[in-house]
Amino acid sequence: MTHTAPTAADVIDRFLDWATDPRLVTLDTETTGFDGEVIELGLVDGGGRTLFEERFRPTCPIDPRAQAVHGITDADLAACPRFGERWPDIRDLLTGRRVVIYNKRFDLPRICATLDATRPGWFEAPGGAAGGSADLRAFNAISRSAECVMDAYSPLAGSWNDAYGSYRWARLADASAQRGVDVSDLTKHAAVSDCVQVLRLIQACAALNPADFPWIGHEDRL
């Protein structure tokens, strides 16, 4: 089967589709570390309204390198609930929504690992029935349908990697700067602020002109 490379119009149309979808929700997390647990989660809908914003007490200490990025300390989380306690509300907010994430390869595994740590046996069905628990089925459905804004944006950034035959990913800060996204009222590396930043990036990309990206669809010339 022959696959046609996406055009610039195709790429921008995806952002337009997100920007106009009433089911849209952006998700972002802060964690104890690259392989750690979720300690803050934000959800923002397509209208910019905060659906969820909360911090969580992890079962492991925060890596100093992660703390240097987001500024959250173990002491800040001492009185917070475990992520597993709030998972039912998070799950229900995400179910049936169109979930978009800037780098879903990071956030979704961290959510899964945090459920393992804070909601033991969450994936098991009563009596060991096949197919796992309702929680597991819901998480799998959310994971399968979630879309990655970082992947979608990479052709617009225009940095081609010959070694991998694909566009390089852009950091959210760099993508926002390229598209002139206003972040002056946002807090860097705070979950809800990052959700709003992703939403603004989506909206900015939805208004782009395909003619300004002549390299997309002509990657053999890069």
Side-chain angles (χ1 to χ4, degrees):
M1 179 181 296
T2 301
H3 296 279
T4 303
T7 65
D10 294 330
V11 173
I12 293 168
D13 280 349
R14 187 175 184 189
F15 285 92
L16 180 61
D17 191 32
W18 283 334
T20 56
D21 193 330
R23 299 172 299 130
L24 190 79
V25 59
T26 60
L27 178 154
D28 187 74
T29 66
E30 302 299 331
T31 67
T32 59
F34 187 76
D35 294 315
E37 298 175 26
V38 175
I39 54 174
E40 183 174 281
L41 184 138
L43 301 175
V44 172
D45 71 12
R49 292 174 290 272
T50 298
L51 302 180
F52 188 93
E53 181 179 20
E54 195 158 342
R55 288 181 172 180
F56 313 101
R57 177 168 48 93
T59 66
C60 61
I62 298 172
D63 186 307
R65 292 167 296 183
Q67 184 177 317
V69 173
H70 52 55
I72 303 171
T73 68
D74 292 308
D76 292 334
L77 307 175
C80 295
R82 297 289 195 196
F83 182 87
E85 297 172 39
R86 300 291 280 128
W87 166 247
D89 294 321
I90 297 167
R91 175 201 64 207
D92 291 349
L93 285 168
L94 293 175
T95 299
R97 302 299 291 255
R98 188 173 186 183
V99 181
V100 296
I101 307 170
Y102 205 88
N103 192 4
K104 75 172 191 175
R105 293 177 187 83
F106 176 78
D107 294 86
L108 293 176
R110 292 306 93 224
I111 291 173
C112 185
T114 310
L115 285 169
D116 289 342
T118 64
R119 198 174 175 88
W122 69 278
F123 49 84
E124 297 174 347
S133 66
D135 276 332
L136 178 62
R137 294 194 297 274
F139 177 79
N140 286 342
I142 292 164
S143 296
R144 283 193 297 268
S145 63
E147 299 170 80
C148 186
V149 180
M150 184 174 73
D151 285 350
Y153 183 79
S154 60
L156 299 177
S159 179
W160 184 255
N161 188 328
D162 283 324
Y164 288 93
S166 62
Y167 288 101
R168 292 181 177 88
W169 294 318
R171 297 186 310 127
L172 177 59
D174 294 336
S176 298
Q178 284 181 326
R179 303 279 74 86
V181 174
D182 181 11
V183 298
S184 60
D185 59 330
L186 302 180
T187 302
K188 289 181 66 175
H189 300 294
V192 161
S193 282
D194 284 353
C195 286
V196 172
Q197 188 171 347
V198 171
L199 178 62
R200 290 177 184 176
L201 177 64
I202 289 171
Q203 293 165 341
C205 291
L208 293 173
N209 184 345
D212 292 332
F213 304 90
W215 59 85
I216 299 177
H218 302 283
E219 287 75 13
D220 58 321
R221 303 176 190 174
L222 297 177

